[in-house]
Amino acid sequence: MTQPNAKIVILTGAGISAESGIETFRAEDGLWAQHRVEDVATPEGFARDPELVVQFYNARRAQAAEVHPNAAHRALARLEAEHPGEVVVITQNVDDLHERGGSDTVHHMHGHLKGALCAICDHRWPAPMVMAVGDPCPSCNAPAARPDIVWFGEMPYEMDLLFDHLTQADVFAAIGTSGNVYPAAGFVAEARRAGAHTLEFNLERSAVGNQFAEHRLGPASETVTAWVA
Ligand code: BV8
């Protein structure tokens, strides 16, 4: 599948969790169809109506706890086991299906549902299943708990580290992402600059599909499993 000692950088999006039963963002019946992005995934939306936002993430946290990793998550865990130290998973997803599927090196660049963040002192702690507006921060005690999620207009996490990985990539694979959101959508260009072989796994070509050398079209549970086999 790849040359030994390859540095394999994987970027995943909502499409890898779709077959586990979690809606994607931009499908007709997707998450953003039920809510305006501005209302539930921006700091301004949280300031305007914190109750709506906290309930939106409580519902997603509850759903994520009910679903299970699918064959695509498990295939990536096998890839990691077969290439110790050479595989990095960067996910835009906020569920924990990669970890529950067996992946160890997962970077949640857009945060994660299981995290809480203090809007005052930036302290982080494990989120309760049901967060309430005004929950106190265990560190500074301010009633300022918010979901540890990167909203639009906020800087994704670990960007320097992620770019380090991209500049060393021999193989870059984007799985189940529509290529609409930056900086994640720009990762393929970085990987190409590093000379990486680039593959897109999706049901259809994404908004940045023309930048990939190879396309594996079909459900990720099938295409990623076949790629790793
Ligand atoms: C930032 C957390 C700067 C929330 C998310 C104009 C040009 C360029 C950029 C911008 C611009 N205007 C504004 C920006 C910046 C903005 C942006 O990119 N906007 C877009 C809309 C244009 N980006 C930001 O704000 C980012 N921050 O730029 O900061 C900065 C600089 C200095 C200082 C401070 C700040 C932060 C963006 C992060 C937002 N948070 N998520 C939450 O999850 O609730 S975004 C959210 O949507 C996801 O996390 C994900 O990242 C994103 C895209 O979703 P996808 O994962 O791709 O899912 P989608 O539904 O779109 O697609 C699913 C795909 O799967 C489809 O292609 C489908 O075909 C495929 N699929 C479905 N089923 C399957 C499948 N594939 C395979 N198998 C299947 N079975």
Side-chain angles (χ1 to χ4, degrees):
M1 188 278 293
T2 58
Q3 66 275 28
N5 296 328
K7 178 90 177 178
I8 307 166
V9 178
I10 312 273
L11 172 70
T12 64
I16 199 169
S17 296
E19 290 168 87
S20 294
I22 296 184
E23 309 99 318
T24 62
F25 288 89
R26 288 169 182 80
E28 280 76 59
D29 57 347
L31 276 169
W32 296 148
Q34 300 150 42
H35 301 280
R36 281 172 6 108
V37 172
E38 302 74 30
D39 293 339
V40 289
T42 61
E44 297 77 11
F46 182 66
R48 196 166 46 242
D49 187 347
E51 188 61 34
L52 172 70
V53 174
V54 163
Q55 292 313 330
F56 175 64
Y57 288 99
N58 284 343
R60 291 178 63 195
R61 193 173 303 109
Q63 183 191 38
E66 293 300 312
V67 298
H68 304 286
N70 63 57
H73 297 105
R74 291 193 295 274
L76 291 183
R78 283 200 304 280
L79 182 69
E80 207 176 304
E82 288 160 9
H83 295 263
E86 291 301 328
V87 178
V88 166
V89 175
I90 303 170
T91 188
Q92 300 171 88
N93 300 336
V94 292
D95 62 57
D96 62 347
L97 292 176
H98 280 299
E99 291 86 345
R100 289 167 52 202
S103 281
D104 291 328
T105 55
V106 185
H107 297 278
H108 285 270
M109 66 180 290
H110 290 164
H112 61 141
L113 288 169
K114 299 185 89 165
L117 169 68
C118 177
I120 302 294
C121 75
D122 275 351
H123 177 68
R124 284 180 171 79
W125 68 98
M129 270 308 282
V130 180
M131 184 182 285
V133 175
D135 277 352
C137 166
S139 175
C140 73
N141 216 26
R146 57 162 274 187
D148 187 11
I149 299 284
V150 176
W151 288 325
F152 286 95
E154 296 185 321
M155 179 60 89
Y157 292 147
E158 303 180 289
M159 288 304 291
D160 292 344
L161 174 65
L162 303 188
F163 274 96
D164 278 352
H165 286 309
L166 289 165
T167 54
Q168 294 164 35
D170 297 314
V171 174
F172 174 77
I175 303 171
T177 181
S178 60
N180 284 306
V181 173
Y182 288 80
F187 285 1
V188 57
E190 285 302 320
R192 286 170 63 102
R193 261 193 284 281
H197 178 61
T198 55
L199 304 95
E200 180 171 67
F201 293 80
N202 203 310
L203 299 177
E204 59 192 7
R205 288 187 176 218
S206 74
V208 291
N210 61 340
Q211 298 182 39
F212 287 84
E214 196 180 337
H215 297 84
R216 305 273 181 113
L217 299 186
S221 63
E222 295 169 16
T223 58
V224 179
T225 302
W227 179 55
V228 172

